[in-house]
Amino acid sequence: MELLQLRYFFESALNESFTETAKKYMVPPSSVSLTVKKLEDELGCQLFDRTANKIQLNHAGKKLRNSLADIFTNLDEIVAKLENTNAQEFGEISLLIKSHDVAIIERIAEYKKLNPNVTFKISHDFSAQNINDYDIIVDVESSKYNNFRRLPLSSEKVELVTNNKFWSYGINRTLSDLHEEDFILYGKDNPINEIALRCCKRAGFNPHVILETDDESFIERALEQELGITIVTESFLKKHNNENLSALSVYNFNYYYNTCAYIDANKLNASLAYNFFYYLTQYENRHTILWHKVKQKSAE
């Protein structure tokens, strides 16, 4: 049994996909499949139930995945500490954050504990065009980053929010019912603005925008004054905790704000930026496993 076999299995167990594992390790999917099959042969049991187009983790696979989660977490932390001790990393990592994913701060804080001599230069310029000036970019899921490695970070539901008094009738509203209403949106370069316009266009209208701003406090005050409706992520209401505001119940309104971290493939050899990107990958793996464990306990 080899470490690579366990790595391939573990990554495939997280995503239930040999293809995604192959992308991460930059090998053919057939190589991942054969390696996992060899592991199953050595263990004497199947870890995945296979159909023509997909794989699904079975009971034995789940037991192995959960056991490996703690092992790999400890192993990766030890390796990170050893690398940090030997390399004595220091320097600056430049981040362009073009999304509203505040959880990135938690990831930076944990990384700083392991690498106290590393500093971060962060820009929140939504209109930034020269992305080559930055080591890592945090932005919405997009196909525009062609030559970049992508790491999903979070997914938030998009909601329509307004003053409680603004629309108090009807329970089977659709987005098209709001075509005559006033809208308060983020600035034009903000990715949520793009999502909002796309939502309305699919509903058959262009929103009547009376105010655009990236200042969330200003948006909150405008909603309090009953100036219109806004389209934001679900964390907006949690963050502002304003009893005068609430999400509208709108039929068949299912949109999500997906945030990813991107690193230029040509910068994978730039050790400082790559090490932080690799750390983000391990961070997401650990938290995905925790989510799976919580979900499994809830099911029980």
Side-chain angles (χ1 to χ4, degrees):
M1 186 181 301
E2 300 174 359
L3 179 60
L4 185 62
Q5 291 175 314
L6 297 175
R7 285 286 191 186
Y8 280 3
F9 161 75
F10 183 67
E11 188 66 29
S12 301
L14 293 178
N15 299 308
E16 294 194 328
S17 169
F18 292 147
T19 302
E20 290 302 315
T21 301
K23 288 179 182 178
K24 177 176 178 178
Y25 288 96
M26 292 180 284
V27 296
S30 58
S31 177
V32 176
S33 178
L34 289 172
T35 301
V36 173
K37 183 66 172 62
K38 184 179 178 182
L39 175 63
E40 290 176 320
D41 291 341
E42 291 181 11
L43 293 174
C45 66
Q46 282 197 329
L47 302 171
F48 294 97
D49 293 329
R50 294 166 171 82
T51 60
N53 298 317
K54 68 176 183 178
I55 59 172
Q56 186 172 8
L57 204 61
N58 60 27
H59 180 68
K62 290 177 182 177
K63 289 178 65 176
L64 181 58
R65 179 201 63 192
N66 292 341
S67 298
L68 288 176
D70 295 330
I71 293 171
F72 280 147
T73 296
N74 293 332
L75 178 61
D76 290 335
E77 287 178 354
I78 291 170
V79 170
K81 288 178 181 178
L82 289 173
E83 289 176 345
N84 186 52
T85 300
N86 294 331
Q88 303 229 340
E89 281 190 354
F90 63 91
E92 182 180 86
I93 298 173
S94 60
L95 290 176
L96 173 61
I97 300 180
K98 300 181 71 174
S99 80
H100 288 260
D101 182 29
V102 295
I104 190 69
I105 300 301
E106 298 173 4
R107 298 162 173 86
I108 291 174
E110 284 200 13
Y111 186 79
K112 281 284 292 177
K113 291 177 183 177
L114 295 172
N115 302 276
N117 295 321
V118 174
T119 59
F120 288 84
K121 181 180 180 181
I122 299 176
S123 171
H124 290 277
D125 185 1
F126 289 110
S127 62
Q129 297 298 321
N130 193 1
I131 56 179
N132 293 321
D133 290 342
Y134 302 92
D135 296 316
I136 293 173
I137 301 164
V138 179
D139 200 354
V140 294
E141 189 173 27
S142 172
S143 60
K144 66 183 177 183
Y145 299 102
N146 293 323
N147 196 36
F148 284 71
R149 287 279 298 275
R150 177 178 67 89
L151 172 66
L153 294 178
S154 65
S155 180
E156 280 194 84
K157 195 174 188 305
V158 175
E159 293 183 330
L160 290 148
V161 173
T162 189
N163 191 293
N164 294 336
K165 301 176 183 177
F166 190 80
W167 193 330
S168 58
Y169 59 88
I171 58 173
N172 293 318
R173 288 184 289 264
T174 64
L175 184 56
S176 60
D177 292 332
L178 306 177
H179 69 280
E180 294 183 350
E181 305 299 336
D182 295 329
F183 280 80
I184 303 160
L185 301 182
Y186 286 94
K188 290 186 184 304
D189 294 316
N190 194 304
I192 299 184
N193 182 294
E194 181 182 344
I195 293 174
L197 295 177
R198 187 167 67 246
C199 293
C200 294
K201 185 176 181 180
R202 288 180 179 175
F205 70 98
N206 293 318
H208 181 237
V209 182
I210 62 167
L211 190 155
E212 286 184 333
T213 177
D214 287 318
D215 186 339
E216 287 194 349
S217 297
F218 198 86
I219 292 176
E220 181 184 15
R221 291 196 295 272
L223 294 173
E224 286 185 316
Q225 297 300 316
E226 304 178 41
L227 292 181
I229 300 168
T230 191
I231 297 179
V232 293
T233 60
E234 58 186 344
S235 62
F236 180 91
L237 288 175
K238 297 175 184 177
K239 188 190 309 181
H240 295 279
N241 193 27
N242 190 321
E243 62 181 12
N244 296 315
L245 308 180
S246 61
L248 282 173
S249 177
V250 176
Y251 176 72
N252 206 23
F253 185 80
N254 297 308
Y255 292 91
Y256 288 85
Y257 183 84
N258 300 317
T259 299
C260 299
Y262 299 91
I263 185 170
D264 191 331
N266 296 321
K267 293 184 179 180
L268 291 179
N269 293 324
S271 61
L272 195 58
Y274 174 74
N275 285 348
F276 178 61
F277 191 82
Y278 176 78
Y279 175 81
L280 289 177
T281 303
Q282 302 310 307
Y283 183 100
E284 294 307 315
N285 284 346
R286 292 199 302 273
H287 283 259
T288 300
I289 280 296
L290 288 174
W291 180 83
H292 277 296
K293 287 183 175 179
V294 170
K295 185 178 179 182
Q296 187 176 12
K297 287 183 178 179
S298 298
E300 295 173 352

